[in-house]
Amino acid sequence: MGEVDPAFIQAQEHRPKPEILKAEGIPLIDLSITSSPDTNLNDPRALDGLVEEIGDACKNWGFFQVINHGVPLVKRQNIEKASREFFSQPLEEKSKVRRSEEKVLGYYDTEHTKNVRDWKEVLDLTVQDPTIVPASYKPDDKELTKWFNQWPEYPPKLREICEEYVKELEKLAYKLMELIALSLGLPKDRFLEFFEEQTSFIRLNHYPPCPNPDLALGVGRHKDAIALTILAQDDVGGLEVKRKTDGEWLWVKPTPNAYIINVGDIIQVWSNDTYESVEHRAMVNSERERFSIPYFLSPAHYTDVQPLEELLNEQNPAKYKPYNWGKFFVTRKRSNFKKLHVENIQIQHFKIPESELAEKLDAALSISK
């Protein structure tokens, strides 16, 4: 990528700080009890301690790491190796599966976050191939389309490796969603119906060395629009999380073979702000390239995302208007190919004003008197 083009330069207030604060407080959660033969999963009390840990992590951090998660190490090593092999190719070869407005999956090296270019290159692949989504971001357009993966010729077994890995990540994702449901006082399978025709996808990230890592970011500050992210990062590290208590950016030290989990915007809405999607970003450095592989758990395109009725009452009315996930998703994707001069669509655009919520609460209190 050479010298830092002005398109990569972050505004002064968003540039990485020279001193690194380590995220010592991000919980490290052991999932071994969920697969232990000694655990009676039919006993609702068997997972109480783990469920409490998960709930506290979602509420206080929006992030946590998991170990003893059940994903075979060899499957992870295979996809990490394949990712390195793909990105080691000349640009001409990678560009054979380049993304476009017509083919929205594949290789890309000009992605923008908050309208600033990211110092990275990616390969995007959906879990369901093809994946059904709205054909247009326009609300009145009911037409659907199919997104197909573009599988590169090299490495030759990438498709097989990726599909095997994704099966394991899907198991972990559903296990985590069950624990999150229990932590909210819901039946463990409450969320699973939303993912029967999922729009989940996996991304291979490559962050080349950057000559001016104090000016650019691998990925600018953002929140994940999906339900849940499961991230595998290498030993270089670079993920930074914005601490909820004081807004400080904290560097997440890589834990060998662990996965980093973060709550997405959809869980924030489903939980009616009980859990919050937290801003994060990726740093780069001048010496070492970095690789990471996030898996983004996303519901079916026809899902209307809104606070779950079971979590609402007169004292806790819905804080969001419903929105259609498919339309939201394709609107976000559209910004990859057009530099927008306004903020891209966010869940905040569906937030019910505080004044309206206060009126509802006052009315509820007056009725109860």
Side-chain angles (χ1 to χ4, degrees):
M1 289 183 172
E3 291 300 315
V4 174
D5 183 280
F8 292 100
I9 297 177
Q10 295 283 330
Q12 186 71 46
E13 65 270 24
H14 300 305
R15 293 176 190 173
K17 293 182 179 179
E19 70 280 1
I20 290 178
L21 297 176
K22 291 186 179 178
E24 302 292 350
I26 286 186
L28 181 66
I29 298 177
D30 188 337
L31 297 182
S32 57
I33 190 174
T34 62
S35 54
S36 170
D38 298 325
T39 304
N40 180 7
L41 295 178
N42 294 318
D43 181 354
R45 297 166 298 178
L47 298 175
D48 280 355
L50 176 58
V51 168
E52 185 177 356
E53 277 190 90
I54 294 282
D56 288 346
C58 290
K59 188 171 186 176
N60 299 324
W61 284 93
F63 270 82
F64 54 97
Q65 297 192 71
V66 293
I67 56 174
N68 297 319
H69 39 67
V71 178
L73 180 57
V74 67
K75 300 284 178 72
R76 176 166 169 171
Q77 290 172 332
N78 287 344
I79 197 167
E80 288 175 339
K81 181 174 181 288
S83 176
R84 289 175 181 271
E85 290 173 347
F86 172 77
F87 288 117
S88 69
Q89 298 179 100
L91 181 59
E92 179 184 359
E93 289 299 314
K94 291 180 285 192
S95 294
K96 289 179 180 178
V97 291
R98 181 173 285 277
R99 276 164 38 180
S100 67
E101 287 192 68
E102 291 71 38
K103 296 181 178 180
V104 299
L105 303 170
Y107 174 76
Y108 205 57
D109 60 352
T110 56
E111 192 158 76
H112 289 71
T113 303
K114 299 286 190 290
N115 287 320
V116 180
R117 189 172 166 187
D118 296 326
W119 191 271
K120 69 175 181 184
E121 52 182 349
V122 308
L123 180 66
D124 278 345
L125 302 161
T126 53
V127 169
Q128 292 194 345
D129 188 15
T131 288
I132 300 172
V133 295
S136 164
Y137 67 93
K138 296 176 181 177
D140 296 331
D141 188 344
K142 304 302 181 185
E143 187 180 351
L144 299 175
T145 190
K146 293 180 179 179
W147 287 353
F148 292 88
N149 285 331
Q150 295 191 77
W151 295 102
E153 292 181 8
Y154 182 84
K157 290 188 176 181
L158 178 61
R159 180 170 189 165
E160 177 186 335
I161 290 168
C162 187
E163 289 177 347
E164 287 184 1
Y165 179 72
V166 160
K167 285 179 185 176
E168 300 298 334
L169 266 287
E170 192 172 67
K171 292 177 193 173
L172 175 57
Y174 289 166
K175 182 189 298 184
L176 290 167
M177 291 303 297
E178 288 180 351
L179 292 167
I180 290 170
L182 291 171
S183 75
L184 289 166
L186 301 168
K188 71 175 185 177
D189 60 354
R190 178 62 179 90
F191 294 120
L192 302 188
E193 64 182 275
F194 296 115
F195 304 103
E196 289 177 4
E197 295 181 63
Q198 59 187 287
T199 55
S200 303
F201 65 103
I202 190 168
R203 166 171 286 183
L204 309 184
N205 282 324
H206 175 225
Y207 304 93
C210 177
N212 296 104
D214 55 328
L215 300 178
L217 287 167
V219 185
R221 72 197 192 284
H222 67 286
K223 298 182 178 184
D224 291 347
I226 46 66
L228 195 75
T229 302
I230 302 177
L231 174 70
Q233 67 167 346
D234 64 13
D235 62 343
V236 176
L239 174 67
E240 284 196 322
V241 175
K242 194 172 187 179
R243 186 163 54 194
K244 291 176 65 172
T245 54
D246 57 9
E248 284 283 358
W249 286 103
L250 305 179
W251 182 75
V252 181
K253 182 180 179 181
T255 300
N257 306 324
Y259 283 99
I260 299 169
I261 315 298
N262 68 277
V263 168
D265 288 346
I266 291 176
I267 287 181
Q268 179 170 332
V269 175
W270 279 339
S271 73
N272 205 37
D273 283 352
T274 299
Y275 298 155
E276 183 183 350
S277 176
V278 173
E279 271 196 323
H280 50 287
R281 65 187 187 184
M283 296 174 65
V284 288
N285 66 73
S286 60
E287 297 175 2
R288 296 183 66 186
E289 60 184 344
R290 175 182 178 244
F291 295 85
S292 71
I293 305 173
Y295 167 95
F296 300 103
L297 180 68
S298 312
H301 72 87
Y302 48 76
T303 303
D304 287 326
V305 181
Q306 57 190 315
L308 298 179
E309 287 187 11
E310 306 97 297
L311 302 178
L312 305 179
N313 54 47
E314 290 181 341
Q315 287 71 42
N316 183 35
K319 297 178 182 177
Y320 296 90
K321 300 171 186 174
Y323 64 90
N324 174 262
W325 167 245
K327 292 292 184 182
F328 190 102
F329 190 35
V330 297
T331 301
R332 290 285 283 253
K333 281 288 185 186
R334 177 171 168 259
S335 72
N336 292 333
F337 309 103
K338 299 178 188 293
K339 183 171 180 179
L340 306 179
H341 297 288
V342 295
E343 182 183 34
N344 203 348
I345 192 169
Q346 308 286 342
I347 58 169
Q348 297 308 314
H349 296 138
F350 300 92
K351 187 101 175 183
I352 296 173
E354 289 291 336
S355 56
E356 191 175 325
L357 290 174
E359 287 178 10
K360 288 183 180 179
L361 186 56
D362 287 343
L365 290 173
S366 64
I367 291 172
S368 64
K369 286 179 181 178

